Amino acid sequence: MVSPIWSPSAARISESNMTAFAQYIAEDGHNVSSYQSLHDFSIRLPQLFWKYVWNYASFIEHKPYQNVLEQPSKMPNAKWFTGSRFNFAENLLKFRHDHTALIAYDERGKQQSISYAQLYLKVAKLSQHLKEIGIQPGDKIAAFSPNIPEAIIAMLACTSLGAVWSSCSPDFGTQGVLDRFGQIQPKILITTDGYFYNGKKQNNLEKLSSILSHIPSIQHVILVPYSDKNITLNQTQKQLKTSANISLWDACLDNEALDIEFSHQSFDHPLYILYSSGTTGSPKCIVHSAGGTLIQHYKELVFHTDVKQSDTVFYYTTCGWMMWNWMVSTLMTGATLVIYDGSPFFPEPNVLWNMAETENISIFGTSAKYISALEKAKYSPNEKHSLKALKTLLSTGSPLSDESFEYIYNNIKQDICVSSIAGGTDIVSCFTLGNPNLPVYKGEIQCLGLGMAVNVYDDAGQPVKNNIRGELVCEKSFPSMPIGFYNDTSNKKYLASYFERFDNVWAHGDFAEKVAHNDNGKTYTSLIIHGRSDAILNPGGVRIGTAEIYRQVEKIEEVLESIAVGQTLIHDPTDIRVILFVRLREHVTLSSELENRIKNTIRQNTTPRHVPAIIVQVSDIPRTLSGKIVEIAVRETIHGRPVKNKDALLNPEALDLFKNLSQLEQ
């Protein structure tokens, strides 16, 4: 029997928000004494469960809801909390005291510290400015910005008026920005003169000129002097050469506003437009609702992450990743939010851990890629830092390997809840999450999210048993389902993306398996994700998740990262062989000995089917702007097929390394 790598103490369980919420429900006579019984309750009685969440959260409402859920049997058409009127930003700004709301770092160190009272005032002033220049509910405001407090202030001001927010990080290429903002035609663009990354100052203004010339809907540009604090309005106007009105940030806040006149909208009023990665075509513009985002983020942050007002929360992200939107919702809890912009390894691997120690960060969020990179760099935060406050480490973006779990407990902290979480931009939230009340098992996501009817199906659309791999699905509607895709007539693209494979069931595109556990006599279900379904390898008809291979390759000291794809066999176009590409440490070459060691490690820990037919050394691996490796783009490249929308990639030039490889010709 597999043993957990960590278990919560009795005190931690008794003091958790999850326990308090279960007790709140139990007061009405419901049996929710274990997590599984609480999850079962949330699926069996969704109207009652989400009513409890809404009431427990004490959201600020202008008008109460009439019905929690209408049309529950129709997943894409379900209506949540009908009749309610409220404002998203108002609920994130309900604390107006002197407790610290935001602490901002970048590669130069600590830049700002803002209290909740100061945050409210800044939002009030920008909201007033936006109102004066004619912003109405439903208007789109876009940000091309680094992860700085001004981006958060702008989002709150935007949504306080019922306008719709959308953002990209400044490392996006010009075409990548146009592919996104060009579709939604925003009225306002909020940006900076530049940003910092890896010790270098990057200028935004040339890129901005091109963006503005191609998006005529932009009437106003609000520019934050960031990389050059002394840049003037005249200098900006000369460099941008646009007919749009340009204002500097401070001028927009130069008014007498002390309060905010919030625009109260319906639960399904649009809040955010997020984008799919766009590696297989133009990015999908996914529209998310104010109510769905608010209640889902509350559930995930307060119950699953156990965020309390006394916590200091950090998540390493950019404004171009949905984790930015998720992270900002921390403000509704009254906790302190720490943000960072720049390389997490500049000038040294200690940069985020210096910050964590200084600010007493209690919840540290990052990507599985970052944890793997720390391990490869042989950096041990627990040897150099006091991390007494740290209680939870969150990881997402890709599956967290067994070795990464071990690294965290050996090299970061032993008494810590490691919560690998998974969901995505599609739902601006998670299907599977952490849990402060449950043990942690290597390679697994602790639990299925409350209110999320997650299951695993076979190709015929039938649920599979535990420990059988299949398609991750959600069988019932949930509040944070998208409103739809922007400009998607009759929801054709939206329905095709999630509901084409299984009738009235959300197919998420992950290859997963459920695992049953027994915690002190109480059973519950965890989950393992083996990779994206569209990147599944199928040699000899056996389905293999790429993450299964990556978990083994990461054990090899010389390998920094890898990517596995299937190459179609010439003599049998219905079959493939597995090709593994590896990026090795500096001055290391792929010898026969190393190649055999990689293959043997994979064979000994998986099956012969997992062993790559060919291993090829490459100097770089292409990835999206949010850091995810792109198996499909590599697969298309090795087959000589064009890769659509390379501007969605951080390093599109890396695809050239996979063209016309002699090793793959035989």
Side-chain angles (χ1 to χ4, degrees), residues 453-638:
V454 174
N455 211 335
V456 177
Y457 280 11
D458 62 19
D459 289 341
Q462 297 299 312
V464 300
K465 296 179 180 179
N466 291 334
N467 305 114
I468 301 296
R469 298 165 190 186
E471 181 76 26
L472 178 69
V473 303
C474 191
E475 298 174 316
K476 293 185 178 181
S477 63
F478 49 93
S480 65
M481 290 173 62
I483 299 171
F485 295 166
Y486 191 75
N487 278 344
D488 179 20
T489 306
S490 302
N491 274 342
K492 288 182 180 178
K493 293 181 180 178
Y494 172 55
L495 296 174
S497 294
Y498 308 113
F499 299 101
E500 194 170 65
R501 187 167 182 188
F502 306 118
D503 183 42
N504 205 39
V505 171
W506 178 289
H508 193 56
D510 281 335
F511 192 51
E513 69 175 291
K514 295 192 297 182
V515 180
H517 286 295
N518 188 310
D519 180 33
N520 295 319
K522 298 176 181 178
T523 59
Y524 68 95
T525 301
S526 69
L527 198 87
I528 299 173
I529 292 181
H530 295 288
R532 293 292 295 169
S533 299
D534 53 11
I536 288 299
L537 306 172
N538 201 18
V542 178
R543 299 183 78 193
I544 295 171
T546 52
E548 301 172 60
I549 294 175
Y550 302 151
R551 287 189 181 104
Q552 305 310 319
V553 179
E554 283 186 5
K555 297 176 181 178
I556 308 298
E557 175 69 21
E558 294 89 340
V559 180
L560 292 174
E561 61 180 347
S562 62
I563 189 167
V565 299
Q567 183 186 30
T568 302
L569 299 179
I570 294 176
H571 66 275
D572 184 0
T574 65
D575 200 0
I576 62 106
R577 62 178 179 178
V578 177
I579 310 297
L580 178 69
F581 298 94
V582 293
R583 184 170 73 88
L584 304 179
R585 290 186 181 277
E586 193 175 0
H587 307 307
V588 175
T589 56
L590 184 63
S591 63
S592 298
E593 184 277 330
L594 178 55
E595 184 173 352
N596 289 332
R597 186 149 41 92
I598 294 171
K599 290 183 177 182
N600 288 336
T601 300
I602 296 171
R603 182 182 293 106
Q604 291 167 7
N605 293 282
T606 55
T607 74
R609 292 283 189 187
H610 289 72
V611 179
I614 296 176
I615 302 178
V616 180
Q617 180 177 356
V618 289
S619 59
D620 199 7
I621 291 176
R623 58 185 67 253
T624 66
L625 290 161
S626 60
K628 298 178 181 179
I629 59 174
V630 283
E631 289 109 334
I632 295 174
V634 170
R635 185 183 68 199
E636 296 303 284
T637 300
I638 69 168

Side-chain angles (χ1 to χ4, degrees), residues 124-424:
K125 292 182 178 298
L126 184 58
S127 178
Q128 176 66 27
H129 175 77
L130 295 178
K131 188 186 300 184
E132 288 174 355
I133 61 176
I135 291 300
Q136 300 288 327
D139 287 343
K140 276 86 66 183
I141 295 179
F144 181 58
S145 173
N147 184 19
I148 56 177
E150 288 80 1
I152 296 174
I153 293 164
M155 182 279 288
L156 292 168
C158 163
T159 56
S160 74
L161 300 175
V164 185
W165 175 264
S166 190
S167 58
C168 290
S169 56
D171 53 355
F172 277 56
T174 301
Q175 191 58 48
V177 177
L178 296 177
D179 286 344
R180 289 159 174 79
F181 294 164
Q183 292 189 66
I184 68 169
Q185 295 293 304
K187 280 189 176 181
I188 295 180
L189 181 67
I190 296 170
T191 187
T192 64
D193 59 308
Y195 64 101
F196 302 92
Y197 195 84
N198 211 25
K200 297 178 181 178
K201 184 163 73 171
Q202 308 288 341
N203 192 312
N204 268 356
L205 297 180
E206 184 176 337
K207 197 183 295 185
L208 283 168
S209 291
S210 179
I211 292 168
L212 291 168
S213 69
H214 286 86
I215 307 180
S217 65
I218 297 175
Q219 301 170 10
H220 298 271
V221 176
I222 298 175
L223 186 131
V224 180
Y226 177 59
S227 63
D228 181 0
K229 297 287 187 183
N230 298 315
I231 192 170
T232 66
L233 180 60
N234 186 50
Q235 289 172 323
T236 304
Q237 290 170 332
K238 284 182 177 179
Q239 292 187 63
L240 289 185
K241 299 175 183 177
T242 175
S243 61
N245 180 70
I246 302 173
S247 303
L248 295 185
W249 177 263
D250 285 348
C252 297
L253 272 63
D254 186 15
N255 57 58
E256 301 301 317
L258 298 175
D259 214 338
I260 304 171
E261 187 177 341
F262 292 101
S263 174
H264 298 106
Q265 304 293 330
S266 63
F267 188 91
D268 60 359
H269 183 75
L271 173 76
Y272 291 141
I273 299 177
L274 274 61
Y275 306 94
S276 64
S277 62
T279 53
T280 56
S282 295
K284 299 187 289 283
C285 304
I286 307 170
V287 186
H288 288 291
S289 71
T293 303
L294 182 71
I295 194 170
Q296 185 80 320
H297 285 186
Y298 181 89
K299 179 205 73 178
E300 295 183 349
L301 288 162
V302 174
F303 303 145
H304 285 280
T305 314
D306 204 30
V307 178
K308 300 174 182 176
Q309 192 169 339
S310 58
D311 280 313
T312 300
V313 180
F314 166 74
Y315 215 106
Y316 179 75
T317 181
T318 71
C319 293
W321 191 20
M322 66 138 285
M323 294 311 299
W324 183 87
N325 308 75
W326 191 89
M327 169 196 76
V328 172
S329 290
T330 298
L331 295 171
M332 78 172 88
T333 70
T336 296
L337 178 62
V338 178
I339 62 175
Y340 178 86
D341 191 74
S343 167
F345 284 92
F346 182 84
E348 300 290 343
N350 63 5
V351 59
L352 296 186
W353 299 101
N354 288 340
M355 182 184 71
E357 180 177 10
T358 300
E359 303 300 341
N360 290 312
I361 289 172
S362 54
I363 299 171
F364 185 105
T366 186
S367 64
K369 171 63 181 170
Y370 172 75
I371 297 298
S372 176
L374 270 184
E375 182 181 1
K376 295 292 184 181
K378 298 184 182 299
Y379 187 77
S380 299
N382 61 3
E383 293 180 359
K384 303 176 185 296
H385 303 279
S386 174
L387 302 173
K388 294 179 181 178
L390 190 62
K391 67 176 185 179
T392 299
L393 190 145
L394 304 171
S395 172
T396 192
S398 57
L400 192 64
S401 69
D402 290 12
E403 289 67 36
S404 289
F405 274 92
E406 292 174 351
Y407 166 80
I408 292 168
Y409 283 102
N410 291 331
N411 300 90
I412 296 178
K413 194 169 183 178
Q414 290 184 341
D415 185 17
I416 188 172
C417 181
V418 177
S419 297
S420 181
I421 61 178

Side-chain angles (χ1 to χ4, degrees), residues 61-79:
E61 298 175 90
H62 180 68
K63 186 178 179 182
Y65 62 85
Q66 295 173 343
N67 296 300
V68 174
L69 177 59
E70 295 179 1
Q71 296 180 286
S73 62
K74 292 293 184 181
M75 197 171 182
N77 299 313
K79 302 294 182 184

